[in-house]
Amino acid sequence: MTNPAIAAQGVWFTYPDGREVLQGLDLRVEEGERVALLGPNGAGKTTLALHLNGIHEAESGAIHVGELELNPSNLMEIRRRVGLVFQDPDDQLFMPNVAEDVAFGPANLGLSGAELDARVTEALAAVEAGSLADRAPHHLSGGERRRVAIATVLAMRPDVLVLDEPSSGLDPAGRRELVATLQGLNITQLVITHDLPFALELCKRAVIMDGGRVVADGSAAEILANDELLRNHRLEMPFGFNQAGS
Amino acid sequence: MGVGHAHALYIHEHTPIHRMAPEAKLVAAFAFVAAVALTPREAVWAFAIYAVTIAVLIRTARVPARFVAVRLTTIAPFIVFALFIPFIASGEQVELLGVSVSRDGLWGTWNVVAKATIGATVSIVLAATTEIPEILRGMSVLRVPAPLTAIALFMVRYMELVAQELGRMRTAMIARGYDPRWLWQAKPIAAAAGATFVRSYERGERVHAAMLARGYAGAMPELNHRRANRSEWLMSASLPVLGITVALVALVVT
């Protein structure tokens, strides 16, 4: 059996203020999968994302990315492999213009010159944002910002994309374009979201996290049709959606 | 590389001065202003040459004279201070419009007004032809310590966001009937400033996490940027060479 794209085993994490946010979390994402990670606020979804590329260090348990077990000596390679797209693009886009921001990651990996330029062009093309290269991030629309934020991690040619609430704050057209962008990327994806129709449209598999562990894992269609399960974890389909009938 | 829309100090144009690499412009501006500062105040002819040079510079850069004049009001406080010098300085007194003033003091006023105006005008032209990220890039080419340029870079990037945040808080206060007229009503403003500080600190932490996630290891990476070439250095050097020559001649003859 091949290595999973991501495997978290028994991960525990407590914030300095004493909140035990991850309590023995187990999660396995296979290569090429697109998985929705659902759960109420405070379930530990973002904290898990920050563990997957070593921003936070687990107290116990192990995280594997491909065949590599995350440890301080391979942090750089793990960060190349796992591309983290943050919830607020203004946190992700910190350079004066889009091209420089996209170049930031690959430059940290040691790329320079024509090779670096080629990476930037390739990543922006993948999210159809080539025309935005010279723009300042604060002059982009919400949807453009989100796509550029994705390009900043694609430029590192990651194996896995972890997206934190990618559809939040987008208008309906921006949301639809984002779905198309993500569907067009041939890469393993873990999509953290509260937007259940978005999860259903994008992912075959859904995982519900609550209280720092995985409480449900299965086909997105089945999980999102299980009203009782959703209700138990403060999730619900928006009014008017009845996906069981779709 | 342009940044699309730019800051208030920038005039969008396509002139040789706009196109010139920022490091060359920075060195030229700094050296020229230093030469002006060292020019003896009695060499009025030298200041006339500087004035003409700057006028040519402003014209070449297609910066509107009105824009320069408005920006020059920044130095008004210094000018006002300088105007008092003749009345408080000691030494030989002369009559000026029926008032007895110090001759030395008059020279002092002239010295401050002329040099401050020239220095400020040069920096206005520099800022009008160079976007802020470009200036910072030029500084890093000139080996200004990276932490300083990085801090300035983030300040430029996030200042607008912080201003927007403050604006939203202000709107929220007004929407709930807050209409401050007196100093003792300022407490909510102080609270908003405090909240903005905490939010900015938290944003700093998130930005840092985003940087780590993309392999940041403590130093900003080298990005591809065009460096000043020989002809740009030569062209930009004409300004300080002229300034230094005039200053030296003035030092010798006065």
Side-chain angles (χ1 to χ4, degrees), chain A residues 193-225:
Chain A
T193 185
H194 278 136
D195 183 342
L196 302 189
F198 177 78
L200 187 61
E201 190 174 356
L202 210 53
C203 305
K204 285 206 182 77
R205 179 178 158 206
V207 173
I208 297 181
M209 246 183 101
D210 200 357
R213 22 173 106 89
V214 170
V215 293
D217 185 347
S219 120
E222 279 170 25
I223 285 189
L224 294 175

Side-chain angles (χ1 to χ4, degrees), chain B residues 37-63:
Chain B
L38 293 175
T39 306
R41 61 194 187 182
E42 290 81 7
V44 178
W45 59 271
F47 291 95
I49 296 179
Y50 296 145
V52 171
T53 309
I54 290 174
V56 171
L57 199 66
I58 291 173
R59 230 188 137 68
T60 318
R62 294 204 205 122
V63 180

Side-chain angles (χ1 to χ4, degrees), chain B residues 92-117:
Chain B
E92 186 194 337
Q93 300 287 305
V94 291
E95 284 279 312
L96 187 74
L97 303 171
V99 186
S100 167
V101 293
S102 151
R103 175 188 289 278
D104 207 34
L106 280 175
W107 276 117
T109 302
W110 156 250
N111 194 35
V112 171
V113 171
K115 289 179 181 175
T117 310

Side-chain angles (χ1 to χ4, degrees), chain A residues 23 73 109 225 244:
Chain A
Q23 305 185 13
S73 67
L109 298 177

Side-chain angles (χ1 to χ4, degrees), chain A residues 169-191:
Chain A
L170 294 186
D171 59 19
R175 187 170 166 282
R176 178 173 44 71
E177 286 159 9
L178 178 68
V179 169
T181 302
L182 294 178
Q183 280 172 337
L185 297 174
N186 186 19
I187 182 174
T188 311
Q189 294 169 30
L190 182 63
V191 184

Side-chain angles (χ1 to χ4, degrees), chain A residues 48 63 65 87 115 123 134 138 156-157 163 166 173 180 201 225 230:
Chain A
L48 171 64
I63 288 169
V65 176
Q87 184 170 355
E115 213 183 348
D134 286 346
H138 57 273
M156 301 176 78
R157 292 201 183 141
L163 302 120
E201 190 174 356
L230 293 181

Side-chain angles (χ1 to χ4, degrees), chain B residues 112-131:
Chain B
V112 171
V113 171
K115 289 179 181 175
T117 310
I118 292 172
T121 310
V122 169
S123 58
I124 290 166
V125 175
L126 176 68
T129 58
T130 324
E131 292 179 278

